[in-house]
Amino acid sequence: MHYFYKYDLLSIDDAIKELSMTPVQTIILRNTFLHRTKENLNVWNILASGLNDSSVRHLQITENNPVGLFPVSRIDPVPPSILTLNLSSNKLDHFVLELTNVQTLILRDNHLGDLLCLKIDNKHRGRNSKLKYVDISENNIYTLKPSIFQGQAELRYINLSHNHLQEVLFDLSRSNNLSLLDLSNNAISAFDQNSMRMFDKISLTSNLTIYLLNNSLQCTCKTLIFWKWVVVTRVKVFFDRRCSSEDGVVIRFVSTNKRIQELEKECISYVSFIIVASIVLVATLICIAAAVVHKYRWKLRYMFYLAKSKHHRHKTSIDSKDYVYDAFYFLL
């Protein structure tokens, strides 16, 4: 039902009600609601109400920007028959829906970065969530709340590609069925130890694959643990054969193991060497100082007494006591 905006909202309402009485399972509304008017601010509630008892399994509402699909006040839940909900390319900046039985949620190409950073509604992550596929790529996401995926035990696929994520802070420890995490086209330099442990735990129950293509992976002493993990983990990690050094130089490599060996040589700990060298240096300085003092001991002693005598010679009297008699001593 494309370009349906030529008709009024009541025609949409009537059409949806008629479709609800048919065996139609897929409805696609692309470029249907293009103008933000007072009437179409209740588009979602009209659709949800009309499809509440329908056979529709897949609902796609895309490229309907800049229309406001969701009313500010009461928002009807997703009809229980809907298994796939695609709301991509609508320039949405807020999303609060009770997903009911939705298994596939596609929110690609929207403006949800700020929302996903600040808050996540409890209805998105209920205990009985049936979500298996989530796509929130291309949403200007810089960070995600750790709790965003909590309670999503059925998750199989998460697409977070084409965002601005620098690290993995969200919690997936309960998503033991996760098989694919797409983090490509972000700004990730490496995983921290908590993330690596979390992914290893998931890999015990699922064949987890992670896409890290086109990220800002770094080859430094700080990320050496990450590269060693990439080699030994059961998780399948796909990445570009390049990384950035400490000074920003892009290094291309063919063998990850060879690159790790090179990095280990660069990152050898010099702590022991520095301690031993420091001890030897201090001992040498002490010996030199002792030798110099012993060799010039008489000159040093003479200089010491000379300085001491000059100090006493120029010392002014600070005697301020009162005496009864003055005494004079004459040397004959």
Side-chain angles (χ1 to χ4, degrees):
M1 299 172 65
H2 309 326
Y3 304 102
F4 216 77
Y5 63 90
K6 296 179 181 178
Y7 306 93
D8 60 10
L9 195 65
L10 294 178
S11 299
I12 294 280
D13 190 8
D14 294 338
I16 292 298
K17 287 181 179 179
E18 290 183 4
L19 284 171
S20 66
M21 296 182 288
T22 71
V24 168
Q25 293 192 4
T26 301
I27 296 179
I28 302 175
L29 301 165
R30 182 171 60 86
N31 284 310
T32 306
F33 318 105
L34 294 180
H35 304 288
R36 184 185 290 271
T37 64
K38 183 178 180 180
E39 288 76 14
N40 64 21
L41 286 177
N42 289 318
V43 166
W44 173 257
N45 284 352
I46 291 174
L47 294 175
S49 176
L51 298 175
N52 202 37
D53 296 318
S54 69
S55 300
V56 176
R57 300 288 182 267
H58 313 287
L59 178 60
Q60 177 176 322
I61 309 172
T62 61
E63 301 174 50
N64 287 287
N65 44 326
V67 69
L69 293 175
F70 303 108
V72 178
S73 56
R74 182 184 63 84
I75 303 177
D76 291 345
V78 178
S81 65
I82 302 295
L83 302 179
T84 301
L85 180 61
N86 186 343
L87 297 173
S88 58
S89 302
N90 287 305
K91 292 188 177 180
L92 296 176
D93 56 10
H94 71 286
F95 175 77
V96 182
L97 270 183
E98 186 177 348
L99 298 176
T100 318
N101 296 317
V102 173
Q103 297 179 7
T104 299
L105 177 64
I106 303 174
L107 294 168
R108 182 179 60 251
D109 187 22
N110 281 293
H111 297 164
L112 297 174
D114 292 338
L115 173 74
L116 298 178
C117 170
L118 297 175
K119 61 179 181 178
I120 294 296
D121 191 87
N122 289 333
K123 294 177 182 178
H124 290 190
R125 47 186 176 91
R127 294 181 179 177
N128 299 320
S129 173
K130 297 177 175 61
L131 273 179
K132 295 182 178 180
Y133 180 110
V134 176
D135 184 349
I136 48 178
S137 59
E138 301 179 57
N139 267 280
N140 293 318
I141 300 173
Y142 286 86
T143 185
L144 288 170
K145 288 271 288 185
S147 59
I148 184 173
F149 296 118
Q150 284 183 357
Q152 310 290 352
E154 299 298 322
L155 275 177
R156 304 288 198 278
Y157 176 97
I158 300 175
N159 188 349
L160 286 165
S161 64
H162 294 89
N163 283 297
H164 309 287
L165 293 172
Q166 296 182 2
E167 54 187 339
V168 175
L169 297 176
F170 46 88
D171 183 14
L172 291 171
S173 58
R174 300 295 180 87
S175 301
N176 295 323
N177 296 309
L178 186 66
S179 59
L180 181 59
L181 175 61
D182 192 347
L183 294 169
S184 57
N185 293 280
N186 277 279
I188 296 173
S189 59
F191 292 149
D192 60 19
Q193 294 191 13
N194 290 332
S195 299
M196 290 185 283
R197 283 194 293 267
M198 177 178 66
F199 293 140
D200 281 335
K201 180 182 176 183
I202 296 174
S203 68
L204 297 176
T205 56
S206 176
N207 294 322
L208 178 61
T209 298
I210 299 177
Y211 288 156
L212 279 174
L213 300 169
N214 198 21
N215 271 274
S216 306
L217 298 179
Q218 294 184 358
C219 289
T220 65
C221 298
K222 294 180 180 179
T223 63
L224 180 57
I225 296 177
F226 164 74
W227 288 108
K228 289 183 177 180
W229 174 81
V230 168
V231 173
V232 301
T233 183
R234 297 176 52 171
V235 180
K236 299 181 183 68
V237 184
F238 290 88
F239 55 91
D240 301 308
R241 301 289 174 172
R242 65 174 184 267
C243 58
S244 300
S245 63
E246 192 76 41
D247 53 2
V249 177
V250 177
I251 301 172
R252 300 184 181 277
F253 58 91
V254 177
S255 171
T256 306
N257 285 318
K258 185 177 180 180
R259 181 62 194 130
I260 291 175
Q261 293 174 0
E262 295 172 349
L263 196 57
E264 283 178 328
K265 292 179 182 179
E266 298 173 8
C267 300
I268 292 177
S269 176
Y270 293 99
V271 176
S272 300
F273 172 78
I274 293 173
I275 293 175
V276 173
S278 300
I279 293 174
V280 172
L281 179 61
V282 171
T284 303
L285 292 175
I286 292 174
C287 290
I288 292 174
V292 170
V293 170
H294 179 75
K295 182 176 181 180
Y296 298 102
R297 61 187 182 279
W298 298 113
K299 286 187 177 181
L300 292 172
R301 182 175 294 182
Y302 171 74
M303 292 174 63
F304 169 75
Y305 284 114
L306 182 63
K308 186 176 181 180
S309 64
K310 288 183 178 180
H311 175 72
H312 284 288
R313 188 183 304 166
H314 293 90
K315 185 177 181 181
T316 59
S317 176
I318 57 173
D319 190 0
S320 60
K321 294 181 180 180
D322 295 330
Y323 296 92
V324 177
Y325 303 100
D326 290 334
F328 299 94
Y329 177 76
F330 294 94
L331 179 65
L332 299 176

